[in-house]
């Protein structure tokens, strides 16, 4: 959360609309983790940087017309989801549903695919499968997982964002995790 | 009538949310170890949450990547605001006679337009010289007429202005 002394998103946007690039830097640093998190949960590793950059380029171009009718973070979330959807639309139909750069690694021929990655301890194949499973969840279920894990919002904050009760959000979260569990085959473990 | 299976598991909502909060607040600790679940369904859900957290880890982007993106964004910012860039006098003069091409044009069309512009500019310069330089016969020819010496200067400036406006109109018409 931003400190009370730092300018609000809306104040920064006014400065950006006046051509102050420094204000854009602050806005970028503030919202990069949320955008990056959302992108990395849904986009193949090789394209995370490009898609994240495309989101902020779209922000730069669209901010001139931002009227503050919704909160900036809500607007940014919608824009990020649109860029991710565009990314998948642009991909060739015959491309692997998994990671174009990494799907070839999966399989018995590649010894690294089933080994834990240095960063997370999960196997490469598991990460790819999780991304795929997340994309196949119903949108409201995927959204609650992304808000909690990728953006780090608390359940009460998610409830405020989605205009739902805390109980409804927790229930939605449990159903989303059940869906993921089923797709990943964890229910048999 | 039996309850929907999803409804019967509603009791898992709260413990799963609490487990997730604990896991995400202390990512280094194992959530299962912190709260051992006796309920088999809850244990499986907790396992899924753990796998999700383990697979993706921290959301903090690599500083090098962050810097690269910011540099590219600055470049895009500069491109999106060409009006903010101050043009030198030379660039502005060049822009007047050689405007930036917008869209595709045939090379023959461009050459004809360029030749015409340079011809107009040359005529303007010659007229200016003839009017200003003494002894060329034009400025002095006016002396002895109704206008006194030097009174022709406003007309000379008007003539130059007329030529400049002509060039400007032609330049805008040909865009």
């Amino acid at each position: 959360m931003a400190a009370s002394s730092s300018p609000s998103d809306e104040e920064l946007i006014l400065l950006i609309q006046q051509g102050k690039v420094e204000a854009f830097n602050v806005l970028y640093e503030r919202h990069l983790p949320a955008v990056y998190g959302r992108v990395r949960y849904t986009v193949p590793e090789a394209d995370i940087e490009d898609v994240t950059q495309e989101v902020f380029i779209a922000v730069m171009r669209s901010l001139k017309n931002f009227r503050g009718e919704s909160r900036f973070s809500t607007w940014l979330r919608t824009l990020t989801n649109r860029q991710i959807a565009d990314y998948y639309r642009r991909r060739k139909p015959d491309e692997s549903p998994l990671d174009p750069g990494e799907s070839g690694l999966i399989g018995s021929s590649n010894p690294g695919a089933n080994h834990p990655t240095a960063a997370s301890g999960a196997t490469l194949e598991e990460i790819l499968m999780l991304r795929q499973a997340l994309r196949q969840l119903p949108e409201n279920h995927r959204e609650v997982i992304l808000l909690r894990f990728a953006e780090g919002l608390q359940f009460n904050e998610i409830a405020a964002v989605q205009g739902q009760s805390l109980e409804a959000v927790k229930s939605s979260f449990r159903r989303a995790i059940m869906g993921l569990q089923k797709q990943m085959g964890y229910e048999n473990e | 009538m039996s309850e929907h299976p999803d409804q019967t598991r509603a009791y898992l909502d709260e413990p799963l949310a609490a487990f997730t909060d604990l896991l995400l607040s202390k990512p280094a600790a194992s959530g299962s170890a912190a709260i051992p679940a006796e309920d088999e369904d809850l244990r499986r859900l907790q396992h899924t949450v753990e796998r999700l957290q383990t697979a993706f880890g921290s959301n903090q982007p690599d500083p090098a990547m962050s810097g690269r993106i910011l540099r590219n964004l600055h470049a895009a910012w500069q491109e999106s605001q060409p009006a903010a860039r101050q043009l030198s006098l030379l660039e502005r003069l060049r822009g007047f006679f050689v405007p930036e091409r917008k869209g595709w044009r045939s090379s023959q069309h461009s050459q004809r337009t360029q030749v015409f512009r340079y011809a107009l500019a040359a005529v303007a310069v010659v007229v200016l010289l003839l009017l200003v330089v003494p002894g060329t016969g034009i400025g002095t020819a006016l002396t002895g007429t109704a206008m006194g010496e030097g009174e022709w200067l406003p007309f000379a400036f008007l003539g130059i202005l007329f030529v400049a406006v002509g060039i400007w109109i032609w330049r805008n018409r040909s865009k």
Side-chain angles (χ1 to χ4, degrees), chain B residues 142-174:
Chain B
L142 295 170
T143 51
T145 61
M147 282 189 279
E149 194 169 351
E151 287 180 11
W152 51 270
L153 270 174
F155 292 96
F157 282 120
L158 274 175
I160 293 165
L161 190 67
F162 180 77
V163 172
V165 167
I167 293 173
W168 183 81
I169 290 170
W170 172 261
R171 189 171 169 272
N172 283 297
R173 193 179 69 91
S174 62

Side-chain angles (χ1 to χ4, degrees), chain A residues 10-22:
Chain A
E10 286 68 29
E11 287 168 329
L12 289 172
I13 289 162
L14 279 176
L15 291 171
I16 293 166
Q17 288 169 340
Q18 291 163 18
K20 302 271 191 290
V21 71
E22 301 80 13

